[in-house]
Amino acid sequence: MDQAGAIINAHLLTGRIGKPGAAPFSMTGQPNAMGGREVGGLATQLAAHMGFDQESRDRLARFWGAPRVVTGPGHKAVDLFEAVHRGEIRALWVLGTNPAASLPDTLRVREALARCELLVVSEITDQSDTAGFAHLLLPAAAWGEKGGAVTNSERTLSRQRPFLPPPGEVRPDWWALTQVARRLGFEQAFPYEHEHQIFCEHAALSGFENRGERHFDISALATLTREQYEGLEPLSWPVNRAHPAGCRRLFEDGRFATPDGRARLVVPAEPGPVTLAPAQRGETPAPGVGLLLNSGRLRDQWHTMTRTGHVARLQEAEPWPTLRLGAASLRTLGAEPGDLLAIESEQGLAHALAERDEGLREGEAFMPMHWSEAHGRGAGVNRLVAPRVDPLSGQPAFKQSRVWVSARPLLWQGLWLGSEPWAHPVEWWARRTLGTHGGALCQWLASWQESEAQSWGRLNRAGNWLRLPQARGWLAIELRQGRINSLLLVTPTPRSVRIDTLASLLGAPLQADALITTLDQALAGASRLICSCLRVSERQILAAIEEQGIGEVAGLQALLGCGSNCGTCLPEVARLVERHRPD
């Protein structure tokens, strides 16, 4: 937060706010980044950008006819789950988020969820980490199944319109909240039958007793008819008498939302010693190479993969949880790409596969934020992150964690393919969805406690299995009615296997020639997918550059199509061209 404050202060001091191309505000990934704040979705403010001062609380009481209004901020996210852990919060309703995977020190958060006396979760899937702790799981509407409005970080308000009917008992969150409120005796305060009514009330509150001191004001929309609401086009607030068509840019006049119109610089508190929050367990990390760990997003995934994790095509480019390291750090570890690494911090232990990243300096590492216990055992990066938070914003320090990394010696590893997950004990696994064979699964399995012979014995006792020896490993096939139902390929190099080719065996009859041919093709070596849209691999791009002499991105687009659809792979395509272009 001090870094963000310093950036804002620099812009204020040099007059670079309210001008084209001059702003310190981030363009975040969430389409409703501002909307959640407008309705009071943060614990640190009330609805319509109002605070907890007496005047604001009295204003809300008058608008809603509410005899009681909360008098101060609630718990921010990390503090909230500490309160649950202590037993101070006994009932919790989680809507549209996955704290068991997304918050720091997830082992501690999971302990809190397990202790909660009543946990209600509204979700679109029963397979999220948090849903597994729920006493009551409510089927919630996904964004394409419900209507409403969102506001992005530069104040553009847009209508969200459903394009699919909600299946079965699925309902939007506002409906569920309304029904519960009515059953608690608040029928008159929750009369809503459509989100249009809620939007109009929201707009009316934004302009209630607002004499211009609160920039958020969309009161001109408070009287929209249902038809006008359905046809509302995007516009930027304020939308009021002074700006009936919206306001493209704020602060052009140099006046800000303060009593005297002058900006306020944010002065950070005197920094004290860095200490870990009480949630740490004080475990001493195992020996290993000390690294500074950063975490963040991947191009093709979203948050904790509760939705994108079920889309096979989105998993093809980055199918497994990885720890990205520079070449020097890999050499120090004595590890190769695809080796399993143990990553330990004072919060916990995680495992991920080594991945080489030329953009990382020695001593630094990067781990994607998307994997969790739902997609891999011990694969979530937030197991490692301490619950240290900024004192002003409450934002956790996801970007800086001290970890110790070591290569994990294995007794065996391999790939499991089947319609059901691997059902036997194994120390580490990661799972991805296959785009063929009715949504079959592929799991990377790794064991450092049970030998190959022990694992084969356990597997052989559980079904009708045939084991075939292979170079540096073996293939086990389960047959049902003469067809291959599932298989386990034990190999020291799962990373190089062409999984889609191997998956083509599922459902096929057992024929020796076809089996040998398919297996040879699968073991010939995989290539990383670069363009997810058009399924263009790194091998194809390198062949076009090195064998056909194509030295420009435009030429690759014309030949292979990579980067010609959504365009998000273009930076990676450009790097490959720069690195491998003929002289």
Side-chain angles (χ1 to χ4, degrees):
M1 186 64 190
D2 288 349
Q3 293 172 332
I7 293 170
I8 294 172
N9 288 345
H11 280 74
L12 287 170
L13 289 168
T14 56
R16 288 181 170 87
I17 287 184
K19 298 178 181 178
F25 309 117
S26 66
M27 297 299 291
T28 56
Q30 294 86 348
N32 202 26
M34 184 69 74
R37 292 159 174 80
E38 293 167 359
V39 298
L42 296 180
T44 54
Q45 64 185 36
L46 296 174
H49 287 191
M50 284 187 266
F52 293 95
D53 56 279
Q54 189 65 50
E55 183 181 1
S56 295
R57 289 189 283 115
D58 289 345
R59 185 184 302 118
L60 276 177
R62 287 191 294 274
F63 180 82
W64 274 322
R68 291 180 297 173
V69 175
V70 64
T71 59
H75 290 294
K76 298 170 187 174
V78 173
D79 295 336
L80 184 144
F81 283 92
E82 273 301 302
V84 173
H85 199 283
R86 293 191 299 267
E88 297 172 10
I89 295 176
R90 299 167 57 195
L92 189 65
W93 190 349
V94 177
L95 299 94
T97 189
N98 192 15
S102 61
L103 285 179
D105 198 5
T106 51
L107 298 179
R108 177 80 171 185
V109 173
R110 287 169 174 267
E111 289 176 3
L113 291 170
R115 293 183 179 191
C116 190
E117 295 181 33
L118 174 61
L119 178 64
V120 181
V121 176
S122 294
E123 253 296 0
I124 64 169
T125 175
D126 61 357
Q127 298 178 34
S128 78
D129 297 74
T130 306
F133 292 91
H135 299 101
L136 177 61
L137 185 60
L138 299 178
W143 66 273
E145 300 166 347
K146 61 185 177 182
V150 296
T151 311
N152 68 18
S153 56
E154 48 95 41
R155 299 174 292 106
T156 296
L157 186 153
S158 304
R159 277 281 286 112
Q160 176 178 292
R161 298 174 177 89
F163 54 84
L164 290 173
E169 295 182 309
V170 166
R171 297 291 186 274
D173 292 334
W174 70 262
W175 183 91
L177 290 164
T178 294
Q179 297 302 313
V180 171
R182 290 176 181 177
R183 284 160 175 76
L184 291 175
F186 299 100
E187 295 91 345
Q188 292 183 348
F190 289 81
Y192 317 115
E193 299 296 336
H194 190 271
E195 82 261 6
H196 160 251
Q197 298 167 279
I198 300 172
F199 178 84
C200 289
E201 182 176 311
H202 169 55
L205 175 60
S206 72
F208 183 66
E209 298 180 1
N210 187 351
R211 295 171 294 276
E213 65 272 16
R214 303 193 311 276
H215 278 145
F216 174 63
D217 182 354
I218 57 171
S219 54
L221 306 177
T223 57
L224 291 180
T225 65
R226 172 80 174 270
E227 183 179 5
Q228 290 171 327
Y229 169 76
E230 296 294 353
L232 185 64
E233 295 291 328
L235 70 175
S236 301
W237 56 257
V239 188
N240 50 22
R241 288 185 179 180
H243 302 280
C247 177
R248 186 68 187 90
R249 181 170 286 107
L250 284 179
F251 311 130
E252 287 184 295
D253 58 359
R255 294 188 61 80
F256 297 87
T258 59
D260 59 6
R262 301 181 67 181
R264 302 287 190 269
L265 299 182
V266 178
V267 180
E270 185 70 23
V274 176
T275 57
L276 294 177
Q280 75 167 82
R281 279 165 291 282
E283 299 170 355
T284 301
V289 177
L291 298 171
L292 185 64
L293 176 65
N294 184 10
S295 66
R297 303 176 188 272
L298 294 177
R299 183 192 71 196
D300 292 344
Q301 294 298 337
W302 180 255
H303 289 349
T304 58
M305 299 200 297
T306 53
R307 289 176 290 182
T308 53
H310 299 284
V311 182
R313 176 169 289 190
L314 294 178
Q315 291 188 297
E316 289 180 346
E318 302 278 356
W320 309 112
T322 58
L323 181 72
R324 300 186 179 192
L325 301 159
S329 296
L330 280 172
R331 285 195 298 270
T332 302
L333 283 166
E336 297 288 337
D339 288 353
L340 187 64
L341 302 177
I343 312 131
E344 195 160 3
S345 75
E346 294 184 349
Q347 305 308 122
L349 173 68
H351 286 85
L353 301 169
E355 183 72 33
R356 182 170 175 169
D357 189 328
E358 299 294 348
L360 289 170
R361 296 176 295 188
E362 186 173 8
E364 296 180 352
F366 174 84
M367 192 167 174
M369 58 173 274
H370 309 290
W371 275 267
S372 65
E373 299 302 310
H375 300 277
R377 184 174 184 182
V381 66
N382 288 331
R383 299 165 63 97
L384 306 168
V385 178
R388 296 194 300 271
V389 299
D390 177 82
L392 181 60
S393 68
Q395 175 69 24
F398 287 116
K399 314 298 284 185
Q400 298 177 355
S401 298
R402 173 60 64 183
V403 296
W404 288 260
V405 181
S406 57
R408 172 68 76 180
L410 299 176
L411 296 178
W412 68 271
Q413 61 179 324
L415 295 171
W416 162 267
L417 282 76
S419 58
E420 299 294 331
W422 173 261
H424 307 287
V426 69
E427 287 75 63
W428 184 83
W429 59 266
R431 179 167 62 221
R432 57 166 289 197
T433 301
L434 299 176
T436 55
H437 311 289
L441 301 172
C442 176
Q443 284 180 262
W444 186 317
L445 309 175
S447 176
W448 53 86
Q449 294 180 0
E450 188 172 76
S451 68
E452 288 185 42
Q454 291 172 312
S455 297
W456 163 245
R458 186 191 301 276
L459 187 65
N460 193 34
R461 291 190 295 271
N464 181 23
W465 286 87
L466 174 66
R467 174 170 162 164
L468 305 172
Q470 299 294 319
R472 303 177 66 200
W474 44 272
L475 175 69
I477 296 173
E478 182 199 20
L479 297 175
R480 290 188 186 177
Q481 299 178 345
R483 294 182 177 272
I484 299 174
N485 181 64
S486 52
L487 59 88
L488 172 64
L489 175 64
V490 173
T491 171
T493 56
R495 186 174 184 263
S496 64
V497 176
R498 294 181 179 178
I499 293 174
D500 285 346
T501 302
L502 190 64
S504 67
L505 292 171
L506 295 176
L510 181 60
Q511 297 177 347
D513 291 344
L515 175 62
I516 293 171
T517 299
T518 302
L519 191 57
D520 287 344
Q521 292 172 347
L523 295 174
S527 179
R528 190 166 59 97
L529 195 69
I530 300 298
C531 177
S532 298
C533 297
L534 299 179
R535 300 177 61 80
V536 182
S537 70
E538 184 176 19
R539 180 184 287 117
Q540 291 173 282
I541 294 173
L542 293 182
I545 296 172
E546 296 170 354
E547 297 173 14
Q548 300 186 45
I550 296 178
E552 302 293 336
V553 171
L556 293 172
Q557 288 179 296
L559 178 67
L560 302 174
C562 51
S564 60
N565 191 29
C566 76
T568 56
C569 66
L570 282 175
E572 195 158 6
V573 174
R575 283 194 292 270
L576 290 174
V577 170
E578 183 66 26
R579 193 176 302 155
H580 299 279
R581 178 166 42 203
D583 296 333

